[in-house]
Amino acid sequence: MIPAAFDYLRPTTVEDAVAALAEAGEEAKVLAGGHSLLPVLRLRLAAPTLLVDLGGLPQLRGVRTDGDTLVLGAMTTHAEVAGAPVVVDAAPLLAQAAATIGDRQVRHRGTLGGSLAHADPAGDLPTAAVALDAELVLAGPAGRRTVPAREFFVDYFTTTLRPDELLVEVRVPALPGWGSHYLKVNRTAQAWATVAVAAVVERENGTITQARVALTNMGPTPVRAVAVERALAGVPVDAIEAAAAHAVEGTSPASDTTASADYRRHLAQVLARRALTAAAGS
Amino acid sequence: MTATLAGTAAEPEVGRARLRKEDARLVTGRTRWTENITVPGMLHLAILRSPHAHARISRVDTSAALREPNVIAAFSGADVAETQGTMACAWPVTEDIVLPIYRPLAVDEVRHVGEPVAVVVARDRASATDALEAIEVDYEPLPVVLGLESALADGAPLVHADAGTNKCYTWVLDSGEAGTGKAVGEAAAAAELTIHRRYVQQRLVPASMEPRSVLVDPTGDEWTIYSATQIPHILRFLLAATTGTPEHKIRVIAPDVGGGFGGKLAVTPEEWIAFAAANRVGKPVKYTESRSESMVSAHHGRDMIQDITLYARRDGTVTGLSVKLLANMGAYLGIVTPGVPILGAFMYNAIYKFPAYRFECTGVFTTTTKTDAYRGAGRPEATYAIERIMDELAAELDLDPLEVRRRNWIRHDEFPFTTVAGLEYDSGNYEAATEKAMQLFGYDTLRAEQAKRRVAGDPVQLGIGVSTYTEMCGLAPSRILGALRYGAGGWESASVRLLPTGKVEVVTGTSPHGQGHVTSWSQIVADQLGVAFDDVEVLHGDTRTSHKGLDTYGSRSLAVGGIALVLACQKVREKARTIAAHLLECAPDDLEFADGAFRVRGTPTSAKTIGECALAVFAAHDLPDGVEPQLDAEATFDPQTFSFPHGTHLCAVDVDTETGAATIRKYVCVDDVGTVVNPLIVEGQVHGGVAQGIAQALYEEAVFDEDGNLVTGSLADYTVPSSADLPEIVSDRTETPATSNPLGVKGVGEAGTIASTPAVVNAIVDALRPSGVTDVPMPCTPERVWRALQTARSGQEVAA
């Protein structure tokens, strides 16, 4: 299919990009890799009048550390997130989740910011960001603001981003000494997650001191499995199995051609147990 | 003349793993796909398709579209009702079959989502696509008919009201009535064991890499049609026959074609629409479908319900088989739609020699995309059902699945063997292929591991699946096709042209679309004529150079077209023998053709190559009296029987009983496709075929919602596996030459697809059988495997 006609802008500063978005209002879409946007345009499910391509903003690309915080530019590709030593070192969960996305071609074009802003409940990086308590930096006409990942995702494909705002940076607090694991079940290697689980665990002397668990595709947004987390505060590692059974609490998975809600609930428990076990290193 | 020039005792070309001549240009894209072709003045076509599965069209208004930028024409089915022709079904399988009128552009009613309704012709593709939105269509929705059984129920809404029924046909093969065996009723009465199963062949999408594309150029004194088709010759014939266009004024070119899998064994409404559009505007018109259009409007495959009943003795001897089939035709009949399940009728008996068989198939219309040939066409379905139920018999008798097969298969010393379905299998050695496969697989070791893991209660259980298949290839003996009411013959044609420098041009009536005929045909000619592999050019897919042919499908090209080529080469050789004898001043009978040249018996250095003879006839200065100055020859081969590849596929699957995920751990296949011309191509065909069969077992399914919308309408939802999802495939061969043709070849295009699906599903069921699972519907997704386990476990609990 061929998209409906649109104007195309490739700004070189964040300010210009934001100004263009502010002017176009709801009629503009941001191009940040395009793997989700272009199919929607080609199927004519959306017909924006303006595409603002962030490909001309190298300042939004790359990874650095800022004290105990890992800072990732929004236009950093999945391949860079998966492979950059600083990410693998400071936030291995994020690297692991990025490595499961699509295929090599997708990972070299798709971007971290694009994935987060698109807010597909089957996306991997939103879940990882939520599990890691990442903070998202948004730039708008009035300046920048920072939103915790847990508050960023509002509904299916909906975030707190305003039409005139850009996601420019992702800040991930390092968790030294924590173990982590991202475990995903999908129909084919290139498919979105049927269900996936992100687990991050802090241990001390064989005891789990605290854990964070987030679920992919178990509701309209990434879900923190708070009941599991509560059950894993200051308990031995063998408490994981019982705790994982709470993974379905607070979820509302959909039934679709990939899987039924029932199966997703079952899968969430199995994967939570396995991901936590791997994260706890036992 | 030196012995070097006269050819040497080089290694024969047939049997060599030659790299394919075609690949450099195909892999780099430096080639001609239909979509790449541009001709002067060319316009672009876009098609508006029905959003309803069933509706009356009360009004189509294209006037607003005509006012859109760059638009040249816009019209509906009603506008071309008299001139657009109709789509033909070439296989009316019974006398009383319902043959609905099938118009390229719907005129007053649509019967599936995606059916073409109106078109725009514009200067560029984007403008044509944009202008579709300006066309207004009023639909009055009619009730949809989706299920096979519900379509046959009393009072079901009718897909074709005129027909008065949704039943297309019922076709029966009964060994008692046909005299090819006993009546199945006798077997049923005497059976010590009766096993009934219902299997569902899900609907599949052929999904070739290149979508369909057509360019019609009506300028000049003829019509030139480029099409991404498997069947340029049949396209020309049917276009002439259904539109009244003189056949000799139609030239069809199939340039390089990017895969078909039966999906391009079709003449398509889109080709007819492009033809009508080009005629209407008097200019060349091109149409290339999008993937979304392809998914919903190109024909689908399979979609059958199989009720199969096996009768046996308690010693494992099968005594009879009854098959009742419901086959979904979709809304209309494509060229071989009704015949696809009938091809399977001859294959349910497979490699086994039981004496009684009955097959009954009812074709059913539904308001869905039509079905037609898809890789294997009828034979994968048959093989799936029989190989699945043979495992059920083994389980019932607590025998190894291979042992049950051994007790029933035709032994190698029993060939030729006439089956209960009435076909004569010329050759085969099921014992040898099975033995080799078991060794490569480590069958006994894996069975031991399986036993251990069962006892240990491992959450990941090991399953071992077996498929000992055969299939019928080399479509087809024309007499048999006639008896089956097929609309054409099954012969194939080849001609061989000698150029003065000794190079050879081959014209084949087959139409390769990925199979590598240029390479294999070159190897055959090299051996037959003593010329170099690189000195052979193979021309195909253009009805002007190749006026005669029946194209490529049904694993027929080598087993039929390759034989025509051999026969043509033999004619060339006989002509050249006369020339060589004249040049060597001996009698033709004194010459033998050896090591690539004609040699005087007893004086092998006195020799003439075919190339030298070609130069001599080109000059024509010194030819025997009455001898025409040319060596060219043409031959047409009509096979007397089918060929019957066979083999044994073994599959080991790890089934995660917690998630339901089935992972293929080991896949071994030993195929016997007769003499192998190019082992590399054979292995590639087997790999691709196995991948496609695994795709049916584990991944792919076309799903409609209750309104008849295809919900798996993109490659995001219709999950075609990639290399990352597939196992290493260990492929080996036994070679039992076919006795029915001079090359001993059988065909390999569909073997992998036919064999692999039951091997994989048998493995999954084998892993779960101790839990009481006897079936997992395809595709065996993790959820379906998990559900089968849940159901079986709760059943066992209830029983306990």
Side-chain angles (χ1 to χ4, degrees):
Chain A
M1 288 285 284
I2 294 171
F6 53 80
D7 291 328
Y8 172 83
L9 192 72
R10 190 178 165 93
T12 54
T13 68
V14 170
E15 290 70 28
D16 286 351
V18 168
L21 291 176
E23 192 182 336
E26 303 275 351
E27 298 305 309
K29 286 276 181 193
V30 173
L31 181 63
H35 271 104
S36 297
L37 180 60
L38 289 187
V40 166
L41 299 185
R42 288 164 67 90
L43 292 167
R44 299 202 172 196
L45 298 173
T49 55
L50 174 67
L51 280 201
V52 179
D53 182 357
L54 304 190
L57 296 169
Q59 58 270 44
L60 293 189
R61 192 161 169 174
V63 184
R64 63 188 166 87
T65 49
D66 177 6
D68 288 341
T69 304
L70 177 71
V71 182
L72 305 100
M75 287 299 287
T76 307
T77 64
H78 304 324
E80 289 163 337
V81 174
V86 60
V87 182
V88 174
D89 184 48
L93 179 80
L94 195 61
Q96 197 187 1
T100 69
I101 298 171
D103 53 35
R104 279 178 193 278
Q105 288 92 326
V106 169
R107 292 196 290 274
H108 278 272
R109 190 168 281 277
T111 63
L112 171 63
S115 172
L116 296 177
H118 186 55
D120 188 329
D124 302 295
L125 295 177
T127 305
V130 165
L132 294 170
D133 279 340
E135 292 187 322
L136 312 186
V137 180
L138 317 182
R144 298 191 170 202
R145 65 184 177 118
T146 299
V147 178
R150 287 177 80 166
E151 294 169 19
F152 180 72
F153 301 101
V154 176
D155 204 342
Y156 289 104
F157 305 101
T158 308
T159 69
T160 56
L161 262 175
R162 298 180 192 124
D164 57 1
E165 279 183 321
L166 271 187
L167 169 58
V168 292
E169 201 169 88
V170 179
R171 303 174 67 86
V172 181
L175 298 170
W178 291 51
S180 72
H181 195 72
Y182 188 73
L183 187 57
K184 167 166 153 181
V185 164
N186 48 7
R187 283 292 317 283
T188 62
Q190 291 169 313
W192 281 277
T194 306
V195 170
V197 174
V200 200
V201 176
E202 187 188 41
R203 284 162 307 162
E204 214 170 271
N205 303 327
T207 300
I208 295 173
T209 48
Q210 51 177 327
R212 297 190 208 146
V213 179
L215 312 174
T216 304
N217 219 5
M218 287 298 290
T221 64
V223 182
R224 274 288 280 267
V226 288
V228 180
E229 295 178 1
R230 267 200 304 273
L232 286 175
V235 295
V237 167
D238 60 12
I240 285 175
E241 178 152 9
H246 296 289
V248 295
E249 289 176 25
T251 64
S252 51
S255 288
D256 54 32
T257 51
T258 303
S260 69
D262 274 352
Y263 177 65
R264 284 200 163 95
R265 279 188 279 267
H266 166 75
L267 209 50
Q269 298 172 63
V270 174
L271 298 187
R273 189 192 78 225
R274 292 181 181 180
L276 281 162
T277 303
S282 52
Chain B
M1 196 51 57
T2 67
T4 314
L5 192 56
T8 57
E11 184 189 350
E13 279 292 338
V14 168
R16 288 182 67 175
R18 280 282 193 183
L19 290 177
R20 304 201 323 174
K21 289 181 172 183
E22 299 92 331
D23 281 348
R25 69 169 202 279
L26 290 178
V27 169
T28 58
R30 288 186 191 133
T31 189
R32 294 190 315 160
W33 309 113
T34 301
E35 167 61 13
N36 292 348
I37 295 169
T38 297
V39 298
M42 187 178 79
L43 302 171
H44 296 261
L45 175 75
I47 299 178
L48 184 70
R49 296 175 179 278
S50 170
H52 296 279
H54 197 191
R56 192 163 292 119
I57 300 171
S58 49
R59 185 181 72 100
V60 183
D61 184 351
T62 57
S63 55
L66 282 168
R67 294 193 291 271
E68 292 289 309
N70 297 320
V71 169
I72 304 296
F75 58 89
S76 68
D79 296 332
V80 291
E82 303 306 315
T83 56
Q84 66 171 336
T86 54
M87 306 311 300
C89 171
W91 203 344
V93 294
T94 59
E95 270 179 38
D96 60 351
I97 186 172
V98 173
L99 291 171
I101 294 173
Y102 182 9
R103 295 186 179 91
L105 271 174
V107 173
D108 48 14
E109 193 170 324
V110 287
R111 296 181 176 86
H112 68 87
V113 170
E115 186 169 350
V117 172
V119 303
V120 171
V121 179
R123 290 200 176 87
D124 61 89
R125 197 173 168 196
S127 297
T129 307
D130 284 345
L132 290 181
E133 293 179 4
I135 298 175
E136 291 175 29
V137 186
D138 291 342
Y139 295 99
E140 296 168 35
L142 296 167
V144 301
V145 194
L146 299 172
L148 283 169
E149 288 174 307
S150 58
L152 294 177
D154 287 342
L158 296 176
V159 180
H160 298 278
D162 298 352
T165 174
N166 288 324
K167 191 180 97 169
C168 177
Y169 68 86
T170 295
W171 189 96
V172 176
L173 172 65
D174 185 304
S175 62
E177 290 170 17
T180 54
K182 294 180 184 168
V184 87
E186 290 175 40
E192 294 169 7
L193 198 57
T194 301
I195 300 175
H196 171 76
R197 290 288 183 270
R198 166 170 277 210
Y199 298 125
V200 176
Q201 296 284 330
Q202 79 269 37
R203 184 178 277 242
L204 299 172
V205 179
S208 55
M209 224 186 266
E210 181 206 24
R212 296 173 306 162
S213 181
V214 59
L215 164 57
V216 179
D217 184 352
T219 53
D221 191 27
E222 60 170 21
W223 288 265
T224 303
I225 298 165
Y226 301 85
S227 183
T229 181
Q230 295 175 225
I231 52 169
H233 297 93
I234 296 171
L235 169 55
R236 175 161 88 153
F237 169 72
L238 286 176
L239 192 63
T242 66
T243 65
T245 312
E247 188 178 359
H248 64 297
K249 295 292 185 186
I250 302 174
R251 175 186 184 187
V252 176
I253 300 170
D256 277 323
V257 176
F261 312 118
K264 293 169 183 164
L265 167 49
V267 290
T268 67
E270 289 80 1
E271 289 165 336
W272 263 238
I273 292 167
F275 185 74
N279 286 334
R280 203 171 162 91
V281 299
K283 289 197 166 183
V285 170
K286 182 159 77 180
Y287 168 77
T288 300
E289 68 186 354
S290 67
R291 180 62 63 181
S292 308
E293 288 180 289
S294 184
M295 297 295 287
V296 75
S297 64
H299 74 241
H300 295 169
R302 315 261 151 73
D303 200 343
M304 298 179 196
I305 297 174
Q306 305 170 297
D307 279 296
I308 175 165
T309 309
L310 183 89
Y311 305 103
R313 291 201 298 264
R314 295 216 67 90
D315 65 2
T317 309
V318 179
T319 54
L321 185 76
S322 173
V323 177
K324 271 191 98 163
L325 215 59
L326 294 179
N328 199 338
M329 307 284 103
Y332 298 103
L333 301 179
I335 56 170
V336 298
T337 301
V340 167
I342 309 307
L343 280 174
F346 302 95
M347 284 289 112
Y348 279 86
N349 51 297
I351 64 170
Y352 310 113
K353 51 188 180 187
F354 52 81
Y357 173 50
R358 188 175 195 281
F359 170 94
E360 178 185 310
C361 175
T362 296
V364 182
F365 290 112
T366 58
T367 51
T368 60
T369 306
K370 71 173 177 283
T371 64
D372 206 315
Y374 173 54
R375 203 168 187 178
R379 293 157 287 165
E381 298 92 312
T383 304
Y384 180 83
I386 185 69
E387 289 304 292
R388 288 290 319 279
I389 208 163
M390 289 303 280
D391 265 29
E392 296 302 308
L393 176 62
E396 188 70 37
L397 297 171
D398 202 19
L399 289 169
D400 185 279
L402 284 170
E403 179 55 28
V404 161
R405 286 164 172 81
R406 252 181 227 115
R407 292 183 190 184
N408 288 285
W409 70 34
I410 303 156
R411 294 193 317 269
H412 69 277
D413 55 3
E414 291 176 311
F415 289 94
F417 184 91
T418 301
T419 73
V420 72
L423 294 183
E424 189 187 278
Y425 292 0
D426 61 322
S427 66
N429 192 331
Y430 310 138
E431 299 96 317
T434 301
E435 187 55 41
K436 195 167 187 176
M438 287 176 73
Q439 283 179 12
L440 284 168
F441 189 70
Y443 189 82
D444 296 334
T445 310
L446 283 166
R447 281 283 180 212
E449 181 190 330
Q450 176 185 47
K452 257 190 221 160
R453 280 162 68 176
R454 280 181 178 173
V455 170
D458 191 330
V460 179
Q461 284 290 312
L462 175 64
I464 295 168
V466 170
S467 170
T468 52
Y469 77 100
T470 188
E471 57 149 334
M472 54 198 269
C473 283
L475 271 48
S478 297
R479 273 181 318 181
I480 296 181
L481 290 179
L484 292 172
R485 301 176 54 85
Y486 182 63
W491 47 264
E492 194 46 80
S493 161
S495 44
V496 176
R497 311 197 292 226
L498 269 292
L499 305 181
T501 56
K503 312 290 186 194
V504 182
E505 284 179 344
V506 170
V507 180
T508 177
T510 65
S511 195
H513 40 283
Q515 293 87 347
H517 293 179
V518 171
T519 304
S520 315
W521 274 221
S522 295
Q523 290 178 264
I524 291 169
V525 171
D527 282 357
Q528 291 288 325
L529 299 184
V531 297
F533 170 76
D534 288 326
D535 287 347
V536 183
E537 186 60 84
V538 180
L539 307 173
H540 59 79
D542 180 344
T543 58
R544 181 163 285 169
T545 46
S546 154
H547 70 290
K548 199 190 297 177
L550 286 168
D551 307 319
T552 288
Y553 43 84
S555 304
R556 70 185 303 272
S557 294
L558 182 59
V560 188
I563 307 310
L565 179 61
V566 169
L567 298 178
C569 286
Q570 287 173 357
K571 289 184 184 178
V572 169
R573 262 199 343 240
E574 287 319 299
K575 287 186 179 186
R577 176 188 296 276
T578 307
I579 308 296
H582 182 71
L583 296 175
L584 292 167
E585 297 177 345
C586 65
D589 288 349
D590 292 339
L591 293 176
E592 58 179 355
F593 190 77
D595 297 338
F598 291 104
R599 296 169 195 282
V600 178
R601 276 180 234 274
T603 318
T605 52
S606 189
K608 287 287 172 193
T609 63
I610 296 260
E612 290 169 300
C613 297
L615 189 59
V617 298
F618 173 70
H621 295 162
D622 178 24
L623 297 182
D625 289 344
V627 169
E628 245 187 289
Q630 56 111 336
L631 294 179
D632 301 351
E634 178 177 342
T636 304
F637 176 65
D638 192 352
Q640 295 306 296
T641 66
F642 295 95
S643 57
F644 300 95
H646 69 82
T648 296
H649 287 218
L650 299 173
C651 176
V653 170
D654 280 326
V655 180
D656 184 332
T657 59
E658 291 184 333
T659 64
T663 309
I664 298 177
R665 179 171 133 188
K666 194 165 197 178
Y667 197 98
V668 167
C669 47
V670 174
D671 297 285
D672 194 321
V673 298
T675 303
V676 169
V677 173
N678 184 321
L680 198 61
I681 289 178
V682 164
E683 197 174 356
Q685 284 282 4
V686 169
H687 275 215
V690 167
Q692 229 156 355
I694 291 173
Q696 177 173 11
L698 297 181
Y699 295 107
E700 297 181 12
E701 181 175 27
V703 180
F704 294 94
D705 68 14
E706 59 191 10
D707 297 322
N709 298 300
L710 181 67
V711 293
T712 52
S714 79
L715 291 175
D717 304 301
Y718 186 81
T719 42
V720 177
S722 70
S723 55
D725 302 299
L726 294 164
E728 181 191 358
I729 296 160
V730 179
S731 169
D732 207 335
R733 293 186 305 278
T734 55
E735 284 193 24
T736 312
T739 61
S740 52
N741 68 63
L743 279 177
V745 298
K746 298 178 183 174
V748 69
E750 295 151 304
T753 312
I754 290 167
S756 59
T757 309
V760 175
V761 180
N762 275 343
I764 292 170
V765 172
D766 182 57
L768 306 179
R769 202 178 282 283
S771 307
V773 171
T774 58
D775 189 29
V776 179
M778 294 189 293
C780 302
T781 63
E783 174 162 5
R784 282 184 172 163
V785 171
W786 175 72
R787 281 194 186 283
L789 256 176
Q790 299 301 106
T791 306
R793 281 174 178 160
S794 62
Q796 283 190 335
E797 277 166 29
V798 170

